[in-house]
Amino acid sequence: MHKSDLQLLYDYHYWANARILKTAGALSQEQFSAPAQHSWGGLRGTLVHALSAESIWRKRCQEQGSATRALSEEDFPTFAALLTRWQTEETAMRGYIESLDDDIINQLLRYAMTDGTVHETILWQILMQVVNHGTQHRAECAAML
C-alpha cells in the first residue's frame, strides 16, 4: 500500500466522522447520553468506543506502546468534550500518517495489546482496520441518529 492510499482513506474516514459528529452535536445532552441497544450502548458510548480504539491503535503504531485502559463515557460528560478530543485525535492521526513513507507502511509492526500480549501485523493493515472499525460504528451511530 502507498501513503497516498492511506491519506485518501483517512480523508474519507474523517469526512464521514464529521457528518456524524455534526448531527450528534445538534442533540440535547439527554439525547446524546440516552441508552440504546447497540454494541456500545447509546450514541455517546459508541462514539467514545470508536475514538478510544482509534487513539489506542495510533499510539501502538506511532509510539509502539499500549494504553493501559480504554476511554470511557465518564471521560466525556458532554458532547463538546468528546468533540474536542476527536479533533485532537484527528490532528494526531493525520500528522502520524503524514510522517510515514511507503517502506514503513509496508513493514511488520510489533506491538502490545492492553493486556500485554505481543502481536505483529503489517502497519497498513492496522491502519485499514481503524478505518473499517470506524465505518462499523458510524453506521450504528447513523441508525441511532
Side-chain angles (χ1 to χ4, degrees), residues 47-59:
L47 289 170
V48 168
H49 167 72
L51 171 62
S52 182
E54 184 166 323
S55 177
I56 287 169
W57 279 110
R58 180 188 52 79
K59 289 175 184 175

Side-chain angles (χ1 to χ4, degrees), residues 3 6 13 16 32 36 45 49 55 58 77 83 87 104 137 139 144:
K3 176 179 173 174
L6 281 175
H13 176 66
F32 175 63
H49 167 72
S55 177
R58 180 188 52 79
L83 181 61
Q87 292 166 337
I104 293 170
H137 293 299
M144 286 183 263

